[in-house]
Amino acid sequence: MNNEIKKVLFKLEKSGFEAYVVGGYVRDYLLGIESFDVDICTNALPKDIIKVFKIKKGVNNYGSIPLKIGKYNYDITTYRMDGEYINHKPKSIIYVDNLLVDLKRRDFTINALCMNREGKVFDYLDGTKDIQNKIIRTIGYTKKRLSEDPVRILRAIRFAIVLNFELDNDILEYIKNNKEILKGISYTRKKQELEKIFSSKNLGKGLEYLKELDLLDELDIKYDKIVEVSDVLGIWAQIDFDSKYSFTKQSRTMIKQIRIIVNSGKLNNLSLLKYGLYVCLVAGEILGFSKEEINKMDKHMPIHKLSDLKITNDDIMSLLDMNGSPKLRKIYDDVLLNVLNGKLKNNKKIIKKYIIKNWMW
């Protein structure tokens, strides 16, 4: 455990409280995976945590205190048990003074491991054994745990894919018989979990897994063969997804542009001018172009934006004594394409001579 994390634990202990690193960081530590998100559980109440760390901002909706210290993102929570679940969320949280009670409310055994300041791991629910056996298993009764919050189904699948584990039979059986409850998950949460799968080195397994479990309709996505690429927008561009999935305006535009290039099967100077280097790199990876190839193409572009072209529509209209018309667009596009392809030098005099020779009729 990093010394910086130890200092955070020590600060709570020095103030008279218990404190443990819990969940994903401990799991990843045992798997040899570096992590910078650290969950800490403690018997200190939120008001005590705020006082210990001299925090000015308040507690979030889940009663946890976020902290950013150095390269680590901490989330400090008081031991608690969940009240009755309504609409897949606990109606209330009840603070307790018992670590085991807190651990038992969590989703999977591999996420219920905890570690003290000396680096000793405490495993009360056989999480270590499940890590060794590479299995995802719920804490307690599977039906109760997954029906409380259907997002846990996606989390289970995501952990299985990202960690290259298997789902235990109880989880598999529950998913097969209750997959329709995934419809109740918000598109925001679906997208969060899917993007973690799409960013995984085991993406191929993940895509097959979702199909094998017959979950595509419930997730409102469709795909056939997907080329694995490094950018998550490149994956979304190959998926037919419901419009309710939320993307920024910029991301949605980029997905559309990537699709246009991929569907055309071509990537050239005009693509780079219209859509930019980033979109072309993503689309190019899908089409089988190397980054070196595209970067070289971009570097040797005669122009990188329309304003670089040494002639304007007004220049063309003045030269040919014409008004705006479909012909004007044809002339401009012809000049642009020839400049981009290196057949015509980007020089105003040369371009004018070309227009007079080829379009003066």
Side-chain angles (χ1 to χ4, degrees):
M1 184 193 300
N2 187 280
N3 285 332
E4 295 304 312
I5 301 174
K6 291 179 180 180
K7 287 177 184 177
V8 174
L9 294 174
F10 179 69
K11 210 162 187 177
L12 285 162
E13 291 174 354
K14 188 179 177 183
S15 299
F17 302 107
E18 296 176 7
Y20 299 90
V21 176
V22 67
Y25 182 89
V26 185
R27 178 197 69 228
D28 290 348
Y29 176 83
L30 293 177
L31 288 167
I33 300 171
E34 188 173 27
S35 178
F36 299 101
D37 295 319
V38 184
D39 291 331
I40 292 176
C41 62
T42 174
N43 60 346
L45 293 170
K47 63 181 179 63
D48 300 318
I49 300 168
I50 290 170
K51 185 177 179 181
V52 168
F53 292 98
K54 298 183 173 69
I55 297 169
K56 293 181 180 179
K57 54 189 174 184
V59 185
N60 68 24
N61 292 335
Y62 296 96
S64 62
I65 312 289
L67 278 180
K68 169 73 175 174
I69 303 176
K71 61 183 178 181
Y72 292 102
N73 299 302
Y74 298 90
D75 212 21
I76 307 177
T77 57
T78 306
Y79 300 156
R80 83 259 324 262
M81 61 186 297
D82 295 333
E84 180 187 2
Y85 272 73
I86 297 177
N87 294 325
H88 310 307
K89 290 182 180 179
K91 186 178 179 181
S92 62
I93 55 173
I94 303 150
Y95 296 129
V96 297
D97 193 26
N98 186 295
L99 171 62
L100 185 56
V101 170
D102 180 272
L103 296 177
K104 284 183 176 179
R105 72 176 176 85
R106 297 172 184 268
D107 50 10
F108 308 110
T109 59
I110 62 170
N111 293 334
L113 297 159
C114 56
M115 183 189 297
N116 67 8
R117 185 162 53 91
E118 284 71 43
K120 181 180 178 181
V121 174
F122 295 86
D123 178 12
Y124 299 104
L125 300 166
D126 288 335
T128 305
K129 180 181 177 183
D130 288 339
I131 286 175
Q132 290 169 348
N133 292 329
K134 296 190 173 185
I135 197 83
I136 306 296
R137 188 167 57 86
T138 59
I139 294 169
Y141 188 33
T142 298
K143 180 179 178 180
K144 179 178 185 296
R145 192 60 77 222
L146 298 184
S147 63
E148 283 176 343
D149 183 0
V151 173
R152 288 172 177 159
I153 294 175
L154 290 184
R155 280 171 57 81
I157 293 169
R158 187 243 300 176
F159 285 129
I161 291 164
V162 172
L163 300 176
N164 202 21
F165 282 22
E166 299 296 331
L167 298 175
D168 88 328
N169 289 332
D170 287 346
I171 294 177
L172 282 171
E173 196 64 27
Y174 183 84
I175 293 174
K176 289 174 184 176
N177 295 324
N178 300 276
K179 60 184 180 181
E180 67 282 352
I181 70 170
L182 292 177
K183 285 283 189 184
I185 301 174
S186 74
Y187 283 88
T188 299
R189 295 301 302 276
K190 287 179 187 177
K191 183 169 176 281
Q192 287 172 347
E193 293 301 326
L194 285 173
E195 290 198 337
K196 288 173 183 175
I197 293 171
F198 295 165
S199 302
S200 166
K201 63 182 179 181
N202 298 317
L203 169 62
K205 173 184 175 179
L207 295 170
E208 284 304 312
Y209 214 17
L210 293 175
K211 273 189 175 182
E212 287 171 10
L213 292 171
D214 196 23
L215 301 181
L216 301 194
D217 286 346
E218 278 65 33
L219 296 172
D220 290 311
I221 58 175
K222 293 178 184 176
Y223 53 82
D224 188 15
K225 183 179 178 181
I226 289 182
V227 178
E228 295 184 34
V229 293
S230 55
D231 193 286
V232 72
L233 289 185
I235 303 299
W236 282 112
Q238 299 177 75
I239 292 174
D240 181 11
F241 56 85
D242 194 286
S243 61
K244 294 187 185 72
Y245 275 97
S246 59
F247 292 89
T248 63
K249 185 177 180 181
Q250 182 184 32
S251 292
R252 201 172 285 275
T253 298
M254 286 178 171
I255 289 171
K256 183 179 179 181
Q257 292 171 341
I258 293 166
R259 286 174 175 171
I260 290 171
I261 296 173
V262 172
N263 290 338
S264 74
K266 296 183 294 185
L267 197 156
N268 49 34
N269 285 353
L270 185 59
S271 310
L272 281 160
L273 181 79
K274 288 176 71 174
Y275 306 121
L277 180 60
Y278 168 75
V279 166
C280 288
L281 283 170
V282 178
E285 191 176 358
I286 297 171
L287 291 173
F289 289 82
S290 70
K291 287 184 179 180
E292 291 76 17
E293 203 175 347
I294 298 169
N295 280 316
K296 184 178 179 181
M297 195 186 304
D298 182 68
K299 183 179 179 182
H300 292 97
M301 287 261 290
I303 60 174
H304 284 86
K305 53 185 185 295
L306 290 177
S307 60
D308 291 338
L309 191 65
K310 296 300 183 182
I311 201 160
T312 65
N313 282 322
D314 287 342
D315 293 330
I316 297 171
M317 287 190 289
S318 175
L319 180 66
L320 299 180
D321 191 24
M322 64 183 290
N323 295 318
S325 67
K327 181 181 176 182
L328 175 63
R329 171 50 60 190
K330 287 181 180 179
I331 296 169
Y332 185 89
D333 287 348
D334 177 52
V335 169
L336 177 63
L337 198 58
N338 277 286
V339 169
L340 282 171
N341 291 337
K343 295 178 180 178
L344 183 62
K345 192 172 181 180
N346 189 30
N347 175 282
K348 195 165 191 174
K349 286 184 179 179
I350 293 173
I351 292 172
K352 281 185 174 182
K353 285 181 182 179
Y354 174 83
I355 292 172
I356 290 170
K357 179 182 178 181
N358 292 276
W359 290 95
M360 184 70 86
W361 45 266

